[in-house]
């Protein structure tokens, strides 16, 4: 599910001795070629995330660019202190390449899913936060990550997500306009950008031409570009596979308030509670009414209320 | 090789600099610094290759027990990493020296203070520069942190010849005796069982035996550890083993003078 990203890191490492990969007892067989070809740049460490963050920081302080890969929940929740002090305070060039952010590990339950990873990372100064929507976007952003100064969190996109972005320019820190439109917009990232496009398609039948903006980069973010995209927009819906606080909705609503933009906003987010249900990502999203059909209906209501003058 | 009298005199001078520093700021963890002064002096003035001019090939000294930074600051100032006057601005808004080491300070490799981070950082450095030694000084209380032992497992895995742990085993933590809060015995055996070549030294009665242990361990393969048996506040009678001075909140002129006198009369 994440092999394309790991392979991209491998390809980059071949051409750049500074690039080092650190894993945590994961990726059986997937990484053999990397390990055998570049043994000096490949480290498969134990199940010890706190150590791995410190080790990666130590390597970065010696001039390396370190890509750390393991499961998002352990990578963020488990060692937040190390991330804050060793990566963010020190501005070390460590990239956290995190598998399974959101509900991807839904069948495994709440120890393995994480719906607050972006909030945790956004709370830390100096941390770049990236949520790619598909393989193409992830690979483009990985390429651009090499020269970034400072730590970065990348919530890995599944390889089997359909292609969404290959016809678009993907620029680190810039919003990606997936679909033009007027008056109404959906802002989304990650897996939710796929849903956002479906909803925009569904709403065409209602005569609504909804703009879709993908925010793969939450930090850094060119907010002036985002404001340009929001010009003429009256109502915005945000969609994220994350809790309401500290992620996409927080960022957009803060922008609207602080820049005094004349925009009404509605959010679709994951409820702030531990899931008691197991199931695949799509199953869980449907249970939470975060599936295309439910969100199409709610978005339609929200958008059309504007037309009826019910603001 | 400098002779013992050099280290003795230097240790006294550093302790006095610490007292002046803490007096100026009216704060600082003096006893936590005092328990490892001899070790730091031997490392900085003899055993580690480290000067303000050295670049990548310098040895790394990481004070993982960051609250002991007063000793490191006094030594770095003495070695001209920064002007000595900086010591008198300790913990003030005008200065660069805080209550825990920051990488902004010349000579400080990495910010520490949150305990248990140094060993992992040191392994990352030791792995990516085999030409320099990495010395990580951890406290005994700090050995309560799980991340210390995560790193210990990894140091053994990587068979890091250039990685050193030095435990300042001063027998006290913040609240009470180490033995009461979280016993570490037998600490040497623990490090050995984690794959370290380990020796113990009696820093109270024969501090310079550290050099002999160092020389022996230097010839061995894999990661190394020296457990330095010490006492909190070592080198000034009024501080030794007296936990009430761990969190200094004020220092009178009389107490400062007493400490300076006791440092002078320390063997």
């Amino acid at each position: 599910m994440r092999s394309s990203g790991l392979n991209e890191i491998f390809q980059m490492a071949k051409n750049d001795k500074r690039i080092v990969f650190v894993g945590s007892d994961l990726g059986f067989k997937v990484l053999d070629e990397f390990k055998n070809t570049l043994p000096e740049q490949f480290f498969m460490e134990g199940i010890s995330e706190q150590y791995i963050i410190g080790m990666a920081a130590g390597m970065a302080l010696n001039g390396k660019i370190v890509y750390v890969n393991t499961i998002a929940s352990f990578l963020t929740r488990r060692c937040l202190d190390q991330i804050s002090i060793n990566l963010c305070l020190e501005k070390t060039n460590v990239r956290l390449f995190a598998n399974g952010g959101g509900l991807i590990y839904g069948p495994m339950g709440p120890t393995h899913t994480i719906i607050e990873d972006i909030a945790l990372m956004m709370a830390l100064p100096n941390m770049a936060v990236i949520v790619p929507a598909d393989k193409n976007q992830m690979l483009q952003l990985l390429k651009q990550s090499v020269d970034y100064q400072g730590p970065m969190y990348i919530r890995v996109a599944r390889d089997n997500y359909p292609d969404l972005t290959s016809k678009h320019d993907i620029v680190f820190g810039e919003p990606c306009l997936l679909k033009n439109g007027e008056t109404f917009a959906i802002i989304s990232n990650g897996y939710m950008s796929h849903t956002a496009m479906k909803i925009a398609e569904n709403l065409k039948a209602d005569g609504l031409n909804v703009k879709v903006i993908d925010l793969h980069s939450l930090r850094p973010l060119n907010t002036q570009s985002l404001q340009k995209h929001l010009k003429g927009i009256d109502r915005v819906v945000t969609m994220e596979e994350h809790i309401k606080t500290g992620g996409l909705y927080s960022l957009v609503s803060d922008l609207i308030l602080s820049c005094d933009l004349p925009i009404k906003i509605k959010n679709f987010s994951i409820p702030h509670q531990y899931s008691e249900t197991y199931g695949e990502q799509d199953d869980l999203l449907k249970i939470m009414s975060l599936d295309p059909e439910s969100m199409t209906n709610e978005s339609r209501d929200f958008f059309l209320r504007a037309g009826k003058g019910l603001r | 090789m400098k002779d013992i009298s050099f280290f003795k005199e230097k240790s006294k001078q550093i302790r006095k600099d610490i007292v002046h520093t803490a007096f100026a700021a009216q704060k600082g963890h003096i006893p936590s610094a005092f328990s490892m002064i001899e070790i730091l002096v031997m490392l900085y003035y003899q055993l580690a290759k480290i000067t303000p001019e050295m670049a990548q090939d310098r040895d790394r000294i990481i004070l993982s027990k960051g609250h002991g930074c007063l000793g490191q600051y006094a030594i770095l100032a003495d070695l001209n990493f920064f002007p000595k006057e900086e010591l008198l601005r300790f913990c003030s808004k005008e200065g660069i020296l805080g209550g825990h080491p920051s990488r902004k300070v010349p000579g400080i490799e990495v910010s520490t203070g949150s305990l248990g981070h140094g060993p992992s950082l040191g392994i990352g450095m030791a792995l990516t520069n085999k030409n320099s030694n990495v010395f990580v000084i951890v406290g005994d209380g700090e050995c309560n942190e799980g991340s210390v032992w995560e790193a210990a497992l990894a140091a053994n895995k990587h068979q890091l010849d250039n990685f050193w742990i030095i435990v300042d085993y001063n027998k006290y933590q913040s609240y009470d005796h180490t033995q009461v809060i979280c016993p570490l015995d037998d600490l040497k055996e623990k490090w050995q069982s984690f794959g370290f070549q380990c020796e113990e030294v009696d820093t109270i009665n024969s501090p310079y035996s550290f050099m002999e242990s160092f020389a022996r361990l230097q010839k061995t393969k894999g990661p190394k550890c020296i457990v330095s048996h010490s006492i909190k506040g070592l080198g000034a009678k009024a501080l030794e083993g007296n936990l009430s001075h761990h969190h200094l909140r004020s220092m009178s002129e009389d107490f400062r003078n007493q400490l300076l006198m006791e440092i002078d009369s320390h063997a």
Side-chain angles (χ1 to χ4, degrees), chain B residues 8-28:
Chain B
K8 275 190 176 166
E9 280 316 303
K10 192 55 83 179
S11 299
K12 280 183 194 218
Q13 178 208 319
I14 296 300
R15 283 195 171 90
K16 286 183 193 170
D17 288 347
I18 291 173
V19 170
H20 291 304
T21 304
F23 180 74
Q26 291 289 302
K27 54 173 72 72

Side-chain angles (χ1 to χ4, degrees), chain A residues 140-141 144 168-176 216-217:
Chain A
Q140 300 289 332
L141 292 168
Q144 295 170 40
H168 298 271
D169 287 337
I170 311 299
V171 182
F172 180 65
E174 287 290 335
C176 174
H216 50 74
S217 300

Side-chain angles (χ1 to χ4, degrees), chain A residues 20 43-64 78 81-83 85-86 89-92, chain B residues 56 58 60 102-103 109-112 114-117 119-129 145-147 150-151 154-155 157-158:
Chain A
V20 168
F43 296 86
M44 186 54 70
E45 301 299 293
I47 309 163
S48 42
E49 293 80 8
Q50 299 178 63
Y51 150 69
I52 284 169
I53 297 297
M55 172 222 199
M59 291 172 147
L61 289 169
N62 268 357
K64 302 295 181 189
R78 180 105 190 179
D81 188 45
Q82 274 81 1
I83 294 176
I85 306 294
N86 302 337
L89 172 67
E90 299 291 23
K91 294 186 199 158
T92 42
Chain B
Q56 272 301 322
R58 72 189 181 279
R60 271 55 165 185
S102 157
R103 193 157 65 94
E109 298 289 350
V110 61
S111 305
T112 54
S114 179
L115 294 176
H117 288 205
S120 305
L121 291 158
I123 289 174
M125 292 177 187
L127 271 169
T128 47
N129 188 351
E145 293 278 9
S147 53
E150 287 186 6
K157 169 196 171 169
H158 291 292

Side-chain angles (χ1 to χ4, degrees), chain B:
Chain B
M1 182 75 168
K2 300 178 180 77
D3 61 33
I4 298 298
S5 64
F6 170 85
F7 297 111
K8 275 190 176 166
E9 280 316 303
K10 192 55 83 179
S11 299
K12 280 183 194 218
Q13 178 208 319
I14 296 300
R15 283 195 171 90
K16 286 183 193 170
D17 288 347
I18 291 173
V19 170
H20 291 304
T21 304
F23 180 74
Q26 291 289 302
K27 54 173 72 72
H29 290 103
I30 303 176
S32 307
F34 272 32
S35 59
M36 57 173 182
I37 293 303
E38 279 76 9
I39 306 281
L40 283 180
V41 165
M42 284 182 273
L43 280 176
Y44 271 104
Y45 294 85
Q46 180 72 46
L47 302 172
K49 42 178 180 100
I50 180 165
T51 65
E53 296 75 33
M54 286 180 87
Q56 272 301 322
D57 54 347
R58 72 189 181 279
D59 286 345
R60 271 55 165 185
I61 297 176
I62 300 173
L63 189 62
S64 194
K65 49 166 286 188
H67 56 286
C69 59
L70 279 170
Q72 200 179 17
Y73 292 161
I75 289 171
L76 290 173
D78 188 52
L79 291 173
N80 296 315
F81 278 85
F82 50 80
K84 205 159 184 175
E85 300 81 66
E86 205 50 67
L87 295 176
L88 300 177
R89 295 192 281 270
F90 175 59
C91 282
S92 80
K93 60 184 193 299
E94 292 81 18
I96 60 166
L97 305 176
H100 293 91
S102 157
R103 193 157 65 94
K104 288 182 195 142
V105 177
I108 300 291
E109 298 289 350
V110 61
S111 305
T112 54
S114 179
L115 294 176
H117 288 205
S120 305
L121 291 158
I123 289 174
M125 292 177 187
L127 271 169
T128 47
N129 188 351
K130 298 273 168 70
N131 297 321
S132 67
N133 286 306
V134 178
F135 303 101
V136 181
I137 300 155
V138 300
D140 50 353
E142 187 175 13
C143 291
N144 300 171
E145 293 278 9
S147 53
V148 168
W149 303 101
E150 287 186 6
L153 288 169
N156 176 50
K157 169 196 171 169
H158 291 292
Q159 281 299 299
L160 289 171
D161 298 331
N162 58 338
F163 182 71
W164 295 70
I165 291 278
I166 295 157
V167 186
D168 178 25
Y169 197 175
N170 64 26
K171 312 294 187 295
Y172 278 92
Q173 336 203 164
S174 173
Y175 182 83
D176 205 334
H177 293 271
T178 302
Q179 192 60 29
V180 174
I181 298 296
C182 185
L184 295 172
D185 43 16
D186 179 339
L187 191 54
K188 180 185 169 189
E189 229 169 69
K190 284 190 172 68
W191 286 102
Q192 284 176 329
S193 75
F194 274 77
F196 280 66
Q197 297 293 328
C198 184
E199 293 207 12
E200 290 176 285
V201 296
D202 178 355
T203 296
I204 302 168
N205 298 305
S206 54
Y208 306 105
S209 60
F210 181 86
M211 303 244 248
E212 294 148 30
S213 286
F214 187 94
R216 274 193 299 273
L217 289 171
Q218 211 170 16
K219 295 186 194 113
T220 64
K221 290 277 171 204
K224 305 145 200 349
C225 174
I226 298 181
V227 174
S228 157
H229 289 277
S230 186
I231 185 168
K232 217 154 185 167
L234 179 68
K237 270 278 165 276
L239 298 175
E240 286 180 5
N242 184 343
L243 203 51
S244 59
H245 296 298
H246 178 67
H247 309 277
L248 179 74
R249 288 196 180 83
S250 66
M251 188 194 287
S252 69
E253 229 166 287
D254 283 350
F255 191 60
R256 177 197 63 184
N257 295 339
Q258 183 191 343
L259 290 179
L260 293 173
M261 243 167 52
E262 288 182 358
I263 290 166
D264 263 331
S265 58
H266 182 71

